[in-house]
């Protein structure tokens, strides 16, 4: 990694990149690569969602109610490891630069998907998820890269590209996974590996470094641990309060990420193709919101109003998902859910404004850890709720229970956000 730091972009000491030298002509090309990187990562994650229930059932011989619980613990394994490693990865990128850390992540993801594709037993899937969690730095480092190259007034719009990548990835990934699933539940894993490794080659060829040497800081274990990450943010007013609101927001999304396939298969008897199509529709809603609405509404409304509107819409959508008696209403819920894409870019922008350039990696590590905490608690919690209310002998058969709980979490997040931005430390922002 030291070699990478000393020879950014392969140009050597005497030929710094346009971004490293402070000029911005190459920023557009860099944003395209970061968008493609996050898009490919999301496709890789989304492509396996429609087949995970069948693969777990194939390996365990259990029904959907218990398969969902296994799936929750698989997600826990990934998220817990990423939670522990997020601050380390963020601070490594502050020291060595974004480029080498990002490439390491892509390589590890590619190897991991190959490993999981061949896994003959359930415990090996858990090993694969741990490997992916250690390397799951692409979003953290990608967000820091965007902060590096974006002027403050354009950060919300550029952070919206992350949501757009997530949305487009969830159009392509699950839809493709539903089709590939007909050839076997392992096929999507190998396709995901190919995407990650091809993107690695593309990045090595074109991506400049975004963090020049004079803006880097030494690696410190005091910052590169979960407690140290948050302690170091105490000097930035309002950031910790926003991270607290973010934790509830992120926890609510675990209902979607971890129970959607099982919920649709059980309640509406959808197959992998139908589940993939529904996830693709959800991705389309997110892509429209974060690719289009963020660039129009956030500059007009400001971050505070945009986040509030998004949270209200998501709460209403979760309630509809929970209680919908017919499958077609799920697609109506997706349309209501779409403005939720305004929330994360707004939160990210408010936080990045409050910290200096050489702490952006640490901030993104804290964001990743906050989301990671939710992703650690969320999978067993949400799949546990689903399993409890769908098992034989349940006191009330209600597959939508995780979505009712998610609604309450969104409302709690909005309450905390309003306290922080109305009369709080960030009241003048947005």
């Amino acid at each position: 990694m030291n070699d990478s730091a000393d020879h950014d972009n392969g140009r050597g000491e005497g030929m710094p990149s346009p971004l490293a030298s402070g000029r911005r002509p190459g920023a557009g090309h860099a944003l395209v690569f970061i968008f493609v990187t996050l898009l490919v990562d999301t496709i890789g994650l989304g492509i396996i969602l429609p087949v995970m229930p069948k693969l777990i059932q194939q390996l365990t011989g259990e029904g959907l109610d218990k398969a969902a619980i296994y799936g929750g613990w698989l997600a826990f394994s990934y998220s817990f490891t990423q939670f522990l490693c997020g601050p380390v990865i963020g601070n490594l990128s502050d020291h060595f630069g974004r480029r080498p850390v990002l490439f390491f992540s892509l390589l590890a993801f590619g190897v991991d998907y190959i490993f999981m594709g061949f896994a003959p037993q359930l415990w090996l899937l858990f090993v694969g998820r741990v490997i992916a969690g250690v390397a799951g730095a692409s979003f953290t480092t990608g967000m820091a890269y965007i902060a590096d190259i974006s002027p403050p007034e354009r950060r919300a719009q550029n952070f919206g590209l992350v949501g757009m990548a997530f949305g487009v990835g969830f159009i392509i990934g699950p839809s493709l996974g539903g089709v590939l699933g007909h050839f076997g539940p392992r096929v999507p894993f190998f396709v995901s590996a190919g995407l990650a490794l091809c993107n690695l080659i593309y990045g090595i060829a074109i991506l400049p470094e975004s963090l020049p040497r004079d803006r880097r800081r030494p690696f410190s274990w005091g910052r590169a641990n979960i407690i140290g990450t948050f302690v170091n943010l105490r000097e930035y007013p309002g950031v910790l309060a926003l991270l607290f609101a973010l934790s509830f927001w992120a926890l609510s999304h675990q209902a979607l990420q971890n129970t959607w396939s099982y919920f649709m298969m059980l309640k509406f008897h959808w197959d992998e193709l139908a589940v993939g199509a529904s996830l693709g529709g959800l991705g389309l809603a997110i892509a429209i919101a974060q690719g289009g609405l963020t660039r129009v509404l956030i500059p007009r409304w400001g971050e505070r109003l945009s986040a509030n509107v998004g949270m209200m819409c998501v709460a209403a959508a979760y309630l509809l998902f929970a209680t919908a008696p017919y499958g077609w209403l799920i697609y109506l819920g997706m349309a209501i859910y779409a403005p939720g894409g305004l929330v994360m870019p707004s939160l990210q922008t408010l936080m990045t404004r409050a910290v200096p350039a050489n702490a952006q990696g640490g901030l993104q590590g804290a964001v990743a850890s906050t989301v990671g905490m939710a992703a650690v608690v969320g999978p067993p919690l949400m799949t546990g709720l689903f399993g409890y209310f769908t098992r034989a002998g349940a006191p009330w058969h209600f597959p939508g229970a995780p979505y009712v709980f998610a609604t309450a979490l969104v409302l709690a997040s909005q309450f905390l956000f309003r306290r922080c931005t109305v009369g709080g430390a960030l009241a003048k922002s947005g």
Side-chain angles (χ1 to χ4, degrees):
M1 295 183 107
N2 281 311
D3 290 337
S4 297
D6 290 341
H7 300 281
D8 294 336
N9 322 331
R11 291 180 175 88
E13 290 266 356
M15 298 179 65
S17 73
L19 293 176
S21 63
R23 293 179 281 123
R24 296 188 181 275
H29 296 294
L31 279 174
V32 169
F33 172 77
I34 295 299
F35 174 81
V36 171
T37 297
L38 302 182
L39 173 65
V40 168
D41 284 357
T42 307
I43 290 173
L45 291 171
I47 204 172
I48 67 175
L49 288 180
V51 299
M52 281 301 287
K54 294 295 184 183
L55 180 59
I56 294 172
Q57 285 183 296
Q58 184 184 94
L59 293 175
T60 64
E62 301 285 1
L64 277 173
D65 56 337
K66 292 187 178 179
I69 294 175
Y70 283 122
W73 285 109
L74 278 168
F76 167 87
S77 301
Y78 171 82
S79 300
F80 182 67
T81 310
Q82 189 177 50
F83 170 65
L84 293 177
C85 296
V88 178
I89 296 299
N91 280 278
L92 282 172
S93 78
D94 282 341
H95 178 60
F96 292 109
R98 317 302 183 199
R99 195 171 183 264
V101 175
L102 191 59
F103 292 164
F104 167 77
S105 173
L106 289 170
L107 175 63
F109 268 127
V111 173
D112 173 63
Y113 282 127
I114 294 173
F115 179 86
M116 292 183 68
F118 283 113
Q121 297 179 5
L122 183 65
W123 70 270
L124 290 171
L125 291 183
F126 280 93
V127 173
R129 290 291 79 195
V130 169
I131 294 171
V134 171
S138 58
F139 274 86
T140 300
T141 311
M143 296 297 278
Y145 196 108
I146 291 172
D148 290 340
I149 66 174
S150 302
E153 67 274 10
R154 290 197 59 82
R155 281 182 183 166
Q157 294 96 315
N158 289 341
F159 282 136
L161 287 174
V162 177
M164 185 179 179
F166 184 83
V168 174
F170 262 81
I171 296 170
I172 300 171
S175 302
L176 183 58
V179 173
L180 293 173
H182 285 280
F183 299 98
R186 298 177 184 272
V187 173
F189 289 92
F190 297 114
V191 174
S192 297
L195 290 172
L197 295 175
C198 286
N199 197 44
L200 171 63
I201 296 170
Y202 171 53
I204 291 172
I206 66 99
L207 185 69
E209 177 57 64
S210 66
L211 188 66
R213 293 179 187 84
D214 60 1
R215 290 170 56 194
R216 298 179 191 178
R217 61 182 182 179
F219 179 82
S220 166
W221 283 108
R223 291 187 298 263
N225 65 77
I226 299 161
I227 296 174
T229 294
F230 291 98
V231 167
N232 280 289
L233 289 174
R234 287 184 306 174
E235 61 187 283
Y236 306 118
V239 171
L240 286 177
L242 279 183
L243 287 171
F244 194 38
L246 174 62
S247 67
F248 285 91
W249 173 255
L251 184 58
S252 74
H253 283 67
Q254 295 301 312
L256 280 178
Q257 295 175 24
N258 293 286
T259 68
W260 185 273
S261 299
Y262 305 95
F263 175 74
M264 299 305 169
M265 287 180 175
L266 183 66
K267 184 168 184 178
F268 301 115
H269 307 290
W270 289 356
D271 61 10
E272 293 94 334
L273 191 60
V275 169
S278 68
L279 285 167
L282 185 63
L284 178 61
I286 296 171
I288 291 172
Q290 295 204 342
L293 294 183
T294 55
R295 293 179 174 268
V296 175
L297 296 182
I298 292 179
R300 182 176 300 175
W301 291 353
E303 289 83 11
R304 188 172 65 190
L305 177 59
S306 298
N308 275 300
V309 170
M311 289 176 180
M312 287 188 291
C313 290
V314 168
Y318 282 151
L319 274 182
L320 181 56
F321 293 151
T323 58
Y326 307 108
W328 65 267
L329 286 170
I330 297 299
Y331 287 90
L332 175 61
M334 293 176 191
I336 298 172
Y337 180 89
L342 299 171
V343 176
M344 196 63 188
S346 298
L347 292 176
Q348 287 275 9
T349 300
L350 289 171
M351 288 186 284
T352 57
R353 284 177 184 162
V355 302
N358 66 354
Q360 292 294 336
L363 171 63
Q364 298 308 326
V367 170
S369 290
T370 301
V371 175
M373 282 189 281
V376 167
V377 176
L381 175 61
M382 296 301 184
T383 56
L385 280 171
F386 178 83
Y388 179 80
F389 283 100
T390 59
R391 65 184 173 87
W396 179 27
H397 184 81
F398 184 45
Y403 298 98
V404 173
F405 184 57
T407 303
L409 290 169
V410 172
L411 296 176
S413 177
Q414 186 170 27
F415 173 76
L416 293 169
F417 177 76
R418 287 181 62 82
R419 287 199 64 179
C420 177
T421 56
V422 180
L426 295 172
K428 295 181 181 180
S429 298

